[in-house]
Amino acid sequence: MAQTFKQIQKQIEQLQKQAEALRNTEVKGVIERIKVAIAHYGLTAAHLGLESRASTSKRTRATGSKGANARPAFADGDGNAWSGRGPRPRWLRDALASGRSLAEFRAGVSAASAAPAQAVGATKPAKPARKLKRAPSKVTYRDDAGHSWTGRGPKPGWLKAELDAGKSLQDFLR
């Protein structure tokens, strides 16, 4: 016995509802696994490329095409780039603070490629890098695994996990 068009449409609707329910269940599981990984590794929105629209539009304007001078002069190989103009981005400041040198981040700048940019580029000498005005933190929170936090910025994942486990900030003061 052949099915009618309406019967097949009802079956399709039922299957779509089942598929949506299964998808929602799978999405919940994926979200839980992602939350666990974020907490474990202490990831931020910036690590995941989920910056706010304001910072994205600023970045688009700052790295927008402005001739030969807008080429990235420094890059880290993870998709972060800086043209050398304006204040140093956080990823570069963090890398320099951890002991790396600025020369390591030069993005394919050779004498041959730098000469045309200098001929066309600005005649002003480069401004010296701005120094951070913030005093070093007097408080440091550390655990036995070697993790540390200055008390500034959001709490890292390792600290959140320990606090959720019942410890207090006083337990990590060193």
Side-chain angles (χ1 to χ4, degrees), residues 34 38 43-51:
I34 290 171
I38 287 172
L43 299 176
T44 64
H47 287 123
L48 301 174
L50 304 173
E51 300 172 1

Side-chain angles (χ1 to χ4, degrees), residues 47-64:
H47 287 123
L48 301 174
L50 304 173
E51 300 172 1
S52 68
R53 290 182 182 252
S55 64
T56 303
S57 64
K58 284 182 186 177
R59 184 181 66 228
T60 303
R61 258 186 271 125
T63 60

Side-chain angles (χ1 to χ4, degrees), residues 106-167:
R106 294 221 185 266
V109 176
S110 65
S113 65
Q118 289 174 351
V120 176
T123 58
K124 294 180 186 177
K127 293 181 183 178
R130 291 188 337 188
K131 294 185 180 181
L132 293 176
K133 296 178 183 177
R134 181 182 284 182
S137 177
K138 295 177 183 173
V139 178
T140 302
Y141 300 93
R142 296 184 192 277
D143 70 351
D144 296 330
H147 299 113
S148 65
W149 180 55
T150 62
R152 293 184 174 148
K155 291 180 182 128
W158 66 267
L159 183 59
K160 287 181 184 177
E162 294 291 335
L163 294 174
D164 290 344
K167 291 192 176 181

Side-chain angles (χ1 to χ4, degrees), residues 29-103:
V30 169
I31 290 171
E32 278 302 315
R33 289 192 306 270
I34 290 171
K35 285 180 180 179
V36 168
I38 287 172
H40 178 75
Y41 292 104
L43 299 176
T44 64
H47 287 123
L48 301 174
L50 304 173
E51 300 172 1
S52 68
R53 290 182 182 252
S55 64
T56 303
S57 64
K58 284 182 186 177
R59 184 181 66 228
T60 303
R61 258 186 271 125
T63 60
S65 177
K66 292 188 180 188
N69 294 336
R71 255 186 248 132
F74 303 93
D76 68 349
D78 292 332
N80 295 318
W82 179 51
S83 67
R85 293 166 40 182
R88 287 183 179 161
R90 183 174 300 277
W91 64 266
L92 183 57
R93 286 184 301 191
D94 292 344
L96 293 174
S98 70
R100 297 184 66 186
S101 71
L102 191 59

